[in-house]
Amino acid sequence: MKKLIILFIVSLIATPAFAQIEYVTEYDVPYTGKTDDYSRSRLKLDIHHPRSDERLPVIVWFHGGGLTGGEKRIPAQLLNQGYVVIAPNYRLIPQVGVNECIDDAAEAVAWAYNAEKYGGDPGRLFVSGHSAGGFLTSMVGLDKSRLAGYGKDADSIAGLIPFSGQVITHFSDRKSKGIGELTPYVDSNAPLFHVRKDAPPYIIVTGDAELELYGRYEENLYMWRMMKLNGHPDVKIYKLDGFNHGQMSRPAQKILKDEVDRLSGRK
């Protein structure tokens, strides 16, 4: 009996403070200033936040879908974990072009700086996403002109954590230009074009090199190397062996949480 009591007391002591917080999720919150019908119907977000006045790290999470499909969704692994989580929709190809997709992502991140009223800390704002969402993460954080259009400095982002995102020009963008899926191509719509040493901390996660889409691991490895050679002080790459492109997102959530906690001073 004494052992059971001791274990119970230890478990209480070890319980993170955020586990005691009550959370709520709000759905379909508009975030855009655009006025056309498609933008007004599409540009909404879900936000998971504490009911209290906590000041928690903020994670903006962009869904995948090749920039042509997909819907906003807050990953289950991020619920009730001591974060404000924001999951935006963005407009999709072919209704718009890739520049509009990136612009929507930038507008959503700019909106997230107002998360203080939802218990978020705008000084600890992280951007992440899977596949197309990883591409958008990198573009918003590396091409400073995107957030500057909404009055925000990309360098104030606490960390960029893309999951299996393209860093060459996105294949949907290449397709619109008549460039094949297996043809390497880099222009200003490619994260690789915007490599710089003064970018926010940049944490890359991919699946298995042999199971990923096309050369997704190798292009991200090259991105990692170029960031290192340019003198970036906090760039990492994780390869999740045994997981393909679709499967890798689930185990990568653990890396996302660990890196957010590290970069926000929680560990």
Side-chain angles (χ1 to χ4, degrees):
M1 181 61 73
K2 289 183 180 179
K3 289 183 179 179
L4 289 175
I5 292 173
I6 291 170
L7 287 173
F8 178 69
I9 292 172
V10 170
S11 68
L12 286 178
I13 293 172
T15 300
F18 64 74
Q20 309 300 321
I21 299 171
E22 185 180 358
Y23 298 83
V24 63
T25 302
E26 298 184 36
Y27 298 93
D28 293 328
V29 178
Y31 70 82
T32 188
K34 302 177 178 81
T35 57
D36 62 282
D37 289 343
Y38 180 47
S39 295
R40 291 178 62 186
S41 65
R42 180 73 184 168
L43 301 186
K44 298 175 182 179
L45 56 83
D46 298 342
I47 178 166
H48 177 75
H49 62 89
R51 289 188 182 274
S52 63
D53 292 329
E54 300 287 337
R55 286 293 173 262
L56 303 177
V58 180
I59 300 173
V60 179
W61 174 261
F62 289 111
H63 68 81
L67 300 178
T68 61
E71 288 293 327
K72 57 183 169 60
R73 179 186 62 84
I74 297 175
Q77 298 94 326
L78 300 181
L79 296 173
N80 307 326
Q81 294 294 302
Y83 313 114
V84 172
V85 188
I86 298 171
N89 268 341
Y90 46 89
R91 289 173 293 173
L92 300 171
I93 298 170
Q95 289 90 334
V96 297
V98 68
N99 273 303
E100 285 73 25
C101 299
I102 300 169
D103 183 69
D104 293 344
E107 187 173 16
V109 171
W111 185 95
Y113 280 89
N114 299 315
E116 188 171 3
K117 68 180 181 180
Y118 294 95
D121 180 358
R124 295 184 293 170
L125 190 152
F126 298 84
V127 184
S128 186
H130 176 234
S131 194
F135 167 79
L136 294 174
T137 295
S138 295
M139 284 303 299
V140 169
L142 296 179
D143 181 355
K144 295 190 66 172
S145 70
R146 305 293 182 161
L147 269 177
Y150 291 96
K152 302 297 181 183
D153 183 356
D155 291 349
S156 66
I157 296 172
L160 304 168
I161 310 175
F163 292 9
S164 193
Q166 291 214 272
V167 295
I168 62 174
T169 302
H170 194 276
F171 67 81
S172 291
D173 195 11
R174 279 180 279 153
K175 183 178 180 181
S176 71
K177 296 179 170 79
I179 301 170
E181 292 177 334
L182 298 181
T183 302
Y185 183 79
V186 173
D187 63 9
S188 60
N189 280 341
L192 189 56
F193 186 87
H194 301 281
V195 164
R196 54 190 180 89
K197 67 180 180 181
D198 54 349
Y202 192 60
I203 314 300
I204 304 165
V205 192
T206 78
D208 192 302
E210 295 299 321
L211 301 176
E212 266 285 7
L213 284 177
Y214 311 123
R216 193 65 56 92
Y217 166 69
E218 290 81 2
E219 69 180 78
N220 275 279
L221 183 62
Y222 182 67
M223 179 75 172
W224 169 80
R225 174 57 67 189
M226 290 299 100
M227 293 287 274
K228 293 280 286 186
L229 290 176
N230 273 272
H232 193 289
D234 196 348
V235 57
K236 299 181 181 180
I237 185 167
Y238 294 88
K239 176 165 66 76
L240 299 177
D241 291 335
F243 294 93
N244 66 25
H245 182 72
Q247 295 167 341
M248 61 80 61
S249 181
R250 186 175 181 86
Q253 296 293 339
K254 174 67 163 56
I255 296 172
L256 171 59
K257 292 190 288 185
D258 285 348
E259 289 292 342
V260 167
D261 290 348
R262 175 181 72 88
L263 293 167
S264 60
R266 300 209 307 188
K267 64 180 298 184

